[in-house]
Each structure stands twice: as structure tokens, then as C-alpha cells.
Amino acid sequence: QSALTQPASVSGSPGQSITISCTGTRSDIGLYNFVSWFQQHPDKAPKLLIYDVTKRPSGISARFSGSKSGNTASLTISGLQAEDEADYYCSSYTNSVTWVFGGGTKLTVL
Amino acid sequence: EMQLVQSGAEVKKPGESLRISCEGSGYSFSSYYITWVRQMPGKGLEWVGRIDPGDSYTNYSPSFQGHVTISADKSISTAYLQWTSLKASDTAMYYCARHLDNTGYHDGFDIWGQGTPVTVSS
């Protein structure tokens, strides 16, 4: 099972919006609406931001939103804040009854 | 408060065995799958496998199948990840995480342990 494909890095200025893509295949993202997004700050455990492609857990800011088109999912962060600087990972359920993560994207807030 | 608390840091030699743990509290441990995730130094997240603590049914990533074993003891709300013969390449942080739903209608890992660092070195 190959990892999902994410850009290695993205950047944006405070107040701007950025989008991180996550490309899979017809066996994972393209087949199920079970895409999640996680935020990981240095030396911290990952934190769930989005599940089921578009849903936010309780307590997660509405600045974070998710979407999907075909085999590609996307995470959009609006109104960038300094505290958003972190690594972001997508994941998806697959038709092999396994889960797969993306390679991760480092977000820099300029 | 719902949480997962993992066992402490481990330093082992190649060829040694190891079992690390993940204890759940604040919720019905048997009702939610537990997944294990590896993060090698400076690298991304990798899905290792998951267990249903209710019946101990497991699924593994092909990359880890045969090298690790996931188990659980629902009587003490604890899941385990174990190795019988460690390699230097097993050096990593290992996280456990709870699946937010077992019905098949929703999916995501909503509660994470703090991580257990494992170092394998001669």
C-alpha cells in the first residue's frame, strides 16, 4: 500500500488561506469518504482536525475545512495564524481493510 | 476525560523482545478499535495495524505483518504492540490512537496516546 501523496511544504502569510492536497487512488480516497486530516506540532502527538472528508470534531476551529474530488482530498486553512505552523497529514481507509497516511506537509506561516 | 496513556521510553539491543502498552480510560475501551502508528525520526506517520479490543480481531499493514503483534486485554483496558526480535530500524516513536467509530459509518483517529519512544541500538 503506497502512501498518499502530499506536497512537502506550503506557506502563507497570517490571515491568508492555504490548501493542502492529498492524492490517493481508486482503492482508497476515490472509493471511500473516510479521509481524515491531522495536525502535528513538534514533539507532540497528532491531533484530529477533520474526519469523514468534511466533518470537524468538537473543539476544532471552523477555519479548518476538508473536501474531496475523485482521488484527491484537500484541507483548507483560512485566516492563517502563527499557531497553525505545524506538520499536516492526511489518511484514508483502503479496500484492503487497512489505513494509509500521506507523507506529510510542513506548513510555514510567514 | 477520555485518554490513552502509553508506557514509557524503551532502550533495547537488536534481537531483544519488547512489548509496549496503551491504556484507555474515560470511555468503554472494548467498544472502539485501537490503531498503532509508527513515526521514525524526522519522518511521517505510518499505519502499523489495529485491534478490536472486544474480540481481539486484528488487521496489519503489509509492511509490518509478521514483524509485530498487536494484542489487547479488555479486562484492564490495555492494548499492546510487541516485537520478538527488534532491529535497529524499529527505532521510532510509536503512538496508539482510538478509532472514533466502530459502526463503519464514520472513520478517524480521535484520541491519541502521548507516544512511546523506542530506541534499538547495540
Side-chain angles (χ1 to χ4, degrees), chain A residues 1 34-36 38 40 43-48 51-52 55 89 91-93 96-103, chain B residues 33 35 37 39 43-47 50 59-62 95 99-100 104-110 112-114:
Chain A
Q1 185 74 47
F34 289 150
V35 176
S36 298
F38 303 90
Q40 187 180 33
D43 299 320
K44 297 292 186 183
K47 176 182 178 181
L48 179 65
Y51 68 98
D52 292 355
K55 298 181 174 70
Y89 295 90
S91 77
S92 176
Y93 180 65
S96 300
V97 196
T98 61
W99 281 259
V100 62
F101 284 99
Chain B
Y33 301 150
T35 245
V37 175
Q39 188 167 36
K43 302 298 184 181
L45 306 176
E46 299 173 271
W47 185 77
R50 69 103 191 249
N59 295 96
Y60 293 93
S61 163
Y95 293 101
H99 288 237
L100 61 84
Y105 292 105
H106 305 288
D107 185 70
F109 311 137
D110 64 340
W112 289 69
Q114 82 276 21

Side-chain angles (χ1 to χ4, degrees), chain A residues 20-77:
Chain A
I20 300 172
S21 63
C22 171
T23 301
T25 70
R26 289 178 294 179
S27 298
D28 39 65
I29 292 177
L31 188 57
Y32 302 101
N33 288 322
F34 289 150
V35 176
S36 298
W37 289 92
F38 303 90
Q39 177 191 63
Q40 187 180 33
H41 286 108
D43 299 320
K44 297 292 186 183
K47 176 182 178 181
L48 179 65
L49 296 177
I50 298 287
Y51 68 98
D52 292 355
V53 178
T54 62
K55 298 181 174 70
R56 284 188 312 275
S58 174
I60 299 300
S61 171
R63 298 189 300 107
F64 297 93
S65 62
S67 63
K68 188 186 90 166
S69 178
N71 298 338
T72 298
S74 298
L75 171 71
T76 297
I77 309 174

Side-chain angles (χ1 to χ4, degrees), chain B residues 4 22 29 35-36 38 53 60 63 65 71 76 80 95 104 108 119:
Chain B
L4 295 172
C22 168
F29 185 77
T35 245
W36 285 94
R38 182 177 80 174
Y60 293 93
S63 299
Q65 180 90 46
S71 60
I76 56 172
Y80 303 97
Y95 293 101
T119 302

